[in-house]
Amino acid sequence: MRKSLFALAAVAATLAAGAVQAQTATYAVDPTHTFATFEISHFGASVNRGRFDKKEGTVQLDKAAKTGKVELTIDITSINTGVAPFDKHLQGADIFDAAKYPTAKFVGDKFTFDGDKLVSVAGDLTIKGKTQPVTFKANQFACYQSPMLKREVCGGDFETTIDRTQFGADYGVQYGFPKNVRIVAQIEAVKQ
């Protein structure tokens, strides 16, 4: 009798573990609703802004366990400031060196919740072959049933500030450009 109770408990634990794992869903990043933009002060007078138009990635989310993982790859050559010569300068060796480092990547696997509300995602950001820890604060986050796609979509608006010199992007510091760059990432991903 004791053996059968242990066996039954082991089966129940295995089924419970499988049920928890089954709650992890995979989402594909929707490039039409996902953008990474940056802002950097220009001598304290104005703010230079740009965005990256090509990106891809996945999100894994377990709402019950409040865990997840996001992987987002940005094509550096898709930078768009609205000024073609500035885009070329940003892609050049002085700043992003897109010929040598054509992509940037964020891998976040530390999701922090306050109750059911996602408040941040922490992980590693790689730019120019250098990786640094970064935490993106969630300004908003929600999941909804898309009436057009007929599938669940999860997404939010996130932001962080990085010290660009930690990634080897030192250009202009000697002229008075700040080290700090604000990154705003809006992301939506479709359940697969």
Side-chain angles (χ1 to χ4, degrees), residues 153-171:
V153 175
C154 293
D157 193 70
F158 300 85
E159 71 175 89
T160 193
T161 299
I162 63 167
D163 176 348
R164 64 190 175 95
T165 63
Q166 291 182 329
F167 298 93
D170 301 343
Y171 179 82

Side-chain angles (χ1 to χ4, degrees), residues 8-122:
L8 187 58
V11 169
T14 302
L15 289 174
V20 169
Q21 288 179 340
Q23 292 178 5
T24 299
T26 299
Y27 300 77
V29 168
D30 176 359
T32 63
H33 289 93
T34 300
F35 293 96
T37 62
F38 66 88
E39 302 176 354
I40 185 169
S41 178
H42 189 253
F43 294 107
S46 63
V47 176
N48 286 333
R49 292 182 174 91
R51 76 177 193 192
F52 298 93
D53 290 334
K54 293 180 184 173
K55 57 273 163 193
E56 62 183 20
T58 59
V59 177
Q60 294 176 348
L61 181 62
D62 184 332
K63 294 180 208 169
K66 298 181 179 165
T67 60
K69 182 176 184 178
V70 60
E71 291 189 33
L72 185 64
T73 301
I74 303 293
D75 181 344
I76 296 297
T77 65
S78 73
I79 198 163
N80 182 354
T81 63
V83 181
F86 187 39
D87 295 346
K88 286 227 181 277
H89 179 63
L90 290 168
Q91 291 176 28
D94 284 344
I95 302 178
F96 284 111
D97 199 0
K100 190 172 181 182
Y101 305 102
T103 61
K105 187 169 187 172
F106 176 71
V107 178
D109 59 0
K110 295 169 194 75
F111 283 41
T112 302
F113 285 81
D114 181 4
D116 287 333
K117 181 182 173 189
L118 179 65
V119 294
S120 68
V121 177

Side-chain angles (χ1 to χ4, degrees), residues 121-158:
V121 177
D124 292 321
L125 178 63
T126 303
I127 301 173
K128 292 182 74 172
K130 293 181 173 50
T131 302
Q132 297 291 329
V134 171
T135 299
F136 281 89
K137 178 183 141 218
N139 295 323
Q140 62 186 44
F141 181 85
C143 295
Y144 65 95
Q145 189 65 30
S146 170
M148 289 159 289
L149 299 174
K150 308 293 187 222
R151 288 192 273 172
E152 183 182 49
V153 175
C154 293
D157 193 70
F158 300 85

